[in-house]
Amino acid sequence: MKNFVVKTIANAAALAVAIWLVKNITLTGDNTGKKALTLVLVALVFGVVNFVVKPVVKFLSFPLFILTLGLITLVINALMLLLTSWLADKLNLSFHVEGFWTAVVGALIISIVSWAMHVVLPDGKD
């Protein structure tokens, strides 16, 4: 349970940084409380997408992974961010990623910030 909470916090922080840095990744809300709640809910959706869908996509794209020496991972991460945006829209969460290249930049930022957050935050695997 602690690991789940840590991953959700790391995802929320990484998404917040991407929203802050990239103009076409947006999170809207009436007030700061609603924005924070929406951010946590989007982080949960993002976590579920990465837990359920991403392993299947990575398995199916394994030949491309070898061919591109792992660079396809950035494209997969961008597609997971776009899928999260689409699901957020279906769940009436005010999170939107506009376009593939915006998703690529956002995925790169999210990967870096998420890695840094996992280094800083304890995960219960001590």
Side-chain angles (χ1 to χ4, degrees), residues 4-125:
F4 173 75
V5 172
V6 169
K7 286 186 180 200
T8 302
I9 291 170
N11 281 340
L15 285 165
V17 171
I19 291 165
W20 180 54
L21 290 176
V22 181
K23 182 180 79 169
N24 290 331
I25 299 177
T26 57
L27 177 78
T28 55
D30 297 336
N31 55 34
T32 306
K34 283 193 175 193
K35 284 183 181 180
L37 179 62
T38 302
L39 182 63
V40 170
L41 292 174
V42 170
L44 287 170
V45 170
F46 188 64
V48 169
V49 165
N50 280 328
F51 182 74
V52 175
V53 178
K54 189 174 181 180
V56 174
V57 173
K58 284 180 92 171
F59 176 75
L60 294 175
S61 66
F62 186 70
L64 287 174
F65 183 82
I66 293 170
L67 186 65
T68 63
L69 301 175
L71 290 177
I72 192 72
T73 303
L74 187 59
V75 173
I76 291 171
N77 289 343
L79 293 174
M80 296 303 109
L81 188 58
L82 285 171
L83 179 59
T84 300
S85 174
W86 181 78
L87 287 171
D89 182 50
K90 296 300 178 191
L91 296 170
N92 291 326
L93 298 173
S94 54
F95 173 75
H96 183 67
V97 178
E98 187 177 321
F100 176 74
W101 292 110
T102 301
V104 170
V105 172
L108 184 61
I109 292 169
I110 289 169
S111 296
I112 292 168
V113 173
S114 183
W115 169 80
M117 292 296 293
H118 285 295
V119 168
V120 173
L121 293 174
D123 63 353
K125 295 181 182 176

